[in-house]
Amino acid sequence: MLERPVVSDTGPLIALSLVDHLPILQHLFPRVLMPRAVRDEVSAGGPERPGCRAILNADWIEVIDENVPDPLLAAELGAGEAATIAAAYASGIRSVLIDDRKARRIAVSAYKLHVHGSAGILVIAKRAGLVNAVRPLLDLMVARGYYLSRRLVEQATAAAGETGEAG
């Protein structure tokens, strides 16, 4: 288990639920928090949106009221990313789950947050013995419509010690 709580954006929650691995977050973090803006994004497409039911039914994910993000942050990012960074920063939580590249860069450089993405979470889960292999899960995310660059998939599988394994 990672020692610190985490605030999550929409992307990683959807990605992990697409491959039925949302519960690994519960095993990796002592607390998983989701800003209300993220919950609203998750439920925006209705209950048939991929991942919606799994995320909203996960009673171990705490929905939090975030502070209003800095106007510059809100202008640069989507509502979920801005709320995730603002909530983490305001509450003193130093870790966030974000996949969006621009949001990750801002979280690290401007807010000094630790950022984990969907692929990185799977690598950590493999090291913790929670998943057997990363590549098949990343390939399944992509097959189910979640965008991950081929480069990211290759980097994550190499980090998981799966270099050379086709998926």
mmCIF file of all heavy atoms in Angstrom, residues 7 36 58 68 84 108 143 146 157 159:
data_model
loop_
_atom_site.group_PDB
_atom_site.id
_atom_site.type_symbol
_atom_site.label_atom_id
_atom_site.label_comp_id
_atom_site.label_asym_id
_atom_site.label_seq_id
_atom_site.Cartn_x
_atom_site.Cartn_y
_atom_site.Cartn_z
ATOM 1 N N VAL A 7 -6.231 11.923 -4.417
ATOM 2 C CA VAL A 7 -7.425 12.522 -5.007
ATOM 3 C C VAL A 7 -7.413 12.125 -6.478
ATOM 4 O O VAL A 7 -6.400 12.270 -7.156
ATOM 5 C CB VAL A 7 -7.432 14.064 -4.856
ATOM 6 C CG1 VAL A 7 -8.683 14.655 -5.503
ATOM 7 C CG2 VAL A 7 -7.342 14.472 -3.393
ATOM 8 N N ARG A 36 -16.392 16.414 -6.142
ATOM 9 C CA ARG A 36 -17.766 16.394 -6.654
ATOM 10 C C ARG A 36 -17.784 16.641 -8.168
ATOM 11 O O ARG A 36 -18.576 16.032 -8.892
ATOM 12 C CB ARG A 36 -18.616 17.425 -5.917
ATOM 13 C CG ARG A 36 -20.082 17.255 -6.110
ATOM 14 C CD ARG A 36 -20.898 18.035 -5.093
ATOM 15 N NE ARG A 36 -20.619 17.675 -3.715
ATOM 16 C CZ ARG A 36 -21.046 16.574 -3.093
ATOM 17 N NH1 ARG A 36 -21.770 15.705 -3.756
ATOM 18 N NH2 ARG A 36 -20.750 16.336 -1.830
ATOM 19 N N ALA A 58 -18.800 2.349 -5.604
ATOM 20 C CA ALA A 58 -17.622 2.060 -4.768
ATOM 21 C C ALA A 58 -17.702 2.915 -3.506
ATOM 22 O O ALA A 58 -17.284 4.074 -3.491
ATOM 23 C CB ALA A 58 -16.341 2.344 -5.555
ATOM 24 N N VAL A 68 -13.092 26.049 -4.837
ATOM 25 C CA VAL A 68 -13.148 26.556 -6.209
ATOM 26 C C VAL A 68 -11.714 26.686 -6.699
ATOM 27 O O VAL A 68 -10.880 27.318 -6.057
ATOM 28 C CB VAL A 68 -13.864 27.918 -6.260
ATOM 29 C CG1 VAL A 68 -13.829 28.491 -7.665
ATOM 30 C CG2 VAL A 68 -15.292 27.777 -5.760
ATOM 31 N N THR A 84 -9.545 18.290 -9.095
ATOM 32 C CA THR A 84 -8.660 17.298 -8.481
ATOM 33 C C THR A 84 -7.411 17.975 -7.920
ATOM 34 O O THR A 84 -7.026 17.750 -6.767
ATOM 35 C CB THR A 84 -8.277 16.210 -9.504
ATOM 36 O OG1 THR A 84 -9.469 15.520 -9.883
ATOM 37 C CG2 THR A 84 -7.274 15.225 -8.931
ATOM 38 N N VAL A 108 2.434 18.776 -11.245
ATOM 39 C CA VAL A 108 3.819 18.573 -10.789
ATOM 40 C C VAL A 108 4.565 19.894 -10.687
ATOM 41 O O VAL A 108 5.159 20.208 -9.650
ATOM 42 C CB VAL A 108 4.564 17.598 -11.732
ATOM 43 C CG1 VAL A 108 6.047 17.563 -11.423
ATOM 44 C CG2 VAL A 108 3.962 16.212 -11.624
ATOM 45 N N ALA A 143 -8.646 -1.285 -26.190
ATOM 46 C CA ALA A 143 -9.674 -1.984 -26.967
ATOM 47 C C ALA A 143 -11.078 -1.534 -26.575
ATOM 48 O O ALA A 143 -11.989 -1.536 -27.407
ATOM 49 C CB ALA A 143 -9.537 -3.503 -26.782
ATOM 50 N N TYR A 146 -10.434 3.490 -24.337
ATOM 51 C CA TYR A 146 -9.682 4.461 -23.540
ATOM 52 C C TYR A 146 -8.374 4.760 -24.263
ATOM 53 O O TYR A 146 -7.639 3.835 -24.613
ATOM 54 C CB TYR A 146 -9.408 3.913 -22.131
ATOM 55 C CG TYR A 146 -8.980 4.990 -21.166
ATOM 56 C CD1 TYR A 146 -9.920 5.861 -20.635
ATOM 57 C CD2 TYR A 146 -7.656 5.160 -20.828
ATOM 58 C CE1 TYR A 146 -9.548 6.866 -19.776
ATOM 59 C CE2 TYR A 146 -7.272 6.166 -19.962
ATOM 60 C CZ TYR A 146 -8.217 7.020 -19.443
ATOM 61 O OH TYR A 146 -7.850 8.028 -18.591
ATOM 62 N N THR A 157 4.865 -1.175 -19.743
ATOM 63 C CA THR A 157 5.181 -2.603 -19.741
ATOM 64 C C THR A 157 6.667 -2.834 -19.460
ATOM 65 O O THR A 157 7.025 -3.794 -18.778
ATOM 66 C CB THR A 157 4.749 -3.292 -21.046
ATOM 67 O OG1 THR A 157 5.308 -2.613 -22.154
ATOM 68 C CG2 THR A 157 3.243 -3.302 -21.186
ATOM 69 N N ALA A 159 8.487 -0.831 -17.552
ATOM 70 C CA ALA A 159 8.618 -0.561 -16.121
ATOM 71 C C ALA A 159 8.112 -1.734 -15.284
ATOM 72 O O ALA A 159 8.579 -1.977 -14.178
ATOM 73 C CB ALA A 159 7.861 0.705 -15.737
#
